[in-house]
Amino acid sequence: GSQQVDTSDRETDVGDGRFRVTNGGGSSNDDNDQKEKDEKTVREALRFFFSPEGSVFREFMLEEIVTVVDASSRDAVFELQKSLGLNNLPVPSFLRALSPELSPEDKRMVEQIRVLIQFLLGDIDRQQVFSGNGASNQRLRELIPVVQEYSPQLRDFGSLLVVRLTEKTISRGLKWATSRGQTA
């Protein structure tokens, strides 16, 4: 990469290795250029996503996100149950109906969304973003004003997510209730 050696301490004590290697070393002009590129890319992506042309993609993403959030939450419930040693306790059929075990399709979907997230993060290293790397987090924080330009659309999209997740849960509950009514 673009490593630079800081030789400011070299003259005082070269023999003991008193020099530092710094990564990056880019000028603030390079940082500004990158920030402008990031803002332009995010703004164009959001404009497309919320435009009439992006409706098919938006609907696809909505369904995929709902599926993954639903599967992830069910997986989290099972992991919590195991970690608390409650996995051998009987669970009422209604609760099992609302939170069924993950199917192979659910597991595949969760993995696909992980890959999609990596793709959407582009050149931002996913591990750095999620591990709290300051530079990557700062880069993402700088995009907040651009994202806020679309806050009404994002709120609507978030509301749709909640509605679809609720529909999915209610559907499971109704399916359980009707199956109980048929067997009684």
Side-chain angles (χ1 to χ4, degrees):
S2 59
Q3 294 184 339
Q4 297 177 342
V5 178
D6 179 358
T7 59
S8 60
D9 289 339
R10 265 197 174 171
E11 294 176 6
T12 57
D13 193 4
V14 176
D16 289 330
R18 295 195 55 205
F19 61 92
R20 293 180 300 275
V21 176
T22 59
N23 289 325
S27 69
S28 64
N29 198 22
D30 290 342
D31 292 343
N32 267 348
D33 288 347
Q34 184 62 51
K35 182 181 174 187
E36 287 175 14
K37 286 179 188 175
D38 288 347
E39 286 177 355
K40 181 180 179 193
T41 301
V42 169
R43 191 172 279 115
E44 287 176 6
L46 289 171
R47 183 204 56 75
F48 170 76
F49 188 77
F50 291 113
S51 71
E53 297 85 23
S55 65
V56 172
F57 182 65
R58 198 169 48 252
E59 185 63 29
F60 168 76
M61 288 302 297
L62 181 65
E63 289 304 317
E64 295 298 305
I65 293 169
V66 165
T67 301
V68 169
V69 168
D70 175 64
S72 298
S73 65
R74 287 186 286 137
D75 192 39
V77 167
F78 288 118
E79 288 301 315
L80 179 63
Q81 192 176 2
K82 278 193 244 178
S83 71
L84 295 174
L86 303 174
N87 51 331
N88 291 328
L89 292 178
V91 177
S93 63
F94 179 69
L95 294 178
R96 279 195 317 266
L98 293 179
S99 187
E101 289 192 37
L102 295 182
S103 69
E105 176 66 18
D106 291 334
K107 291 176 183 176
R108 186 182 63 75
M109 187 66 67
V110 169
E111 185 54 36
Q112 285 178 342
I113 287 295
R114 285 187 185 124
V115 170
L116 178 63
I117 288 170
Q118 285 177 303
F119 171 75
L120 292 174
L121 287 174
D123 66 330
I124 299 174
D125 182 17
R126 182 174 155 244
Q127 294 300 340
Q128 287 180 354
V129 171
F130 294 119
S131 68
N133 176 282
S136 293
N137 286 341
Q138 178 60 33
R139 190 170 167 195
L140 290 173
R141 277 191 296 275
E142 289 172 352
L143 294 172
I144 289 172
V146 176
V147 173
Q148 286 175 333
E149 293 172 16
Y150 289 87
S151 61
Q153 296 94 325
L154 288 166
R155 261 192 305 278
D156 291 345
F157 189 73
S159 295
L160 279 174
L161 282 171
V162 171
V163 167
R164 296 279 176 92
L165 284 165
T166 304
E167 287 173 350
K168 197 172 230 14
T169 303
I170 290 171
S171 172
R172 283 192 194 115
L174 291 173
K175 188 174 181 180
W176 173 85
T178 56
S179 71
R180 301 283 296 179
Q182 293 171 355
T183 59

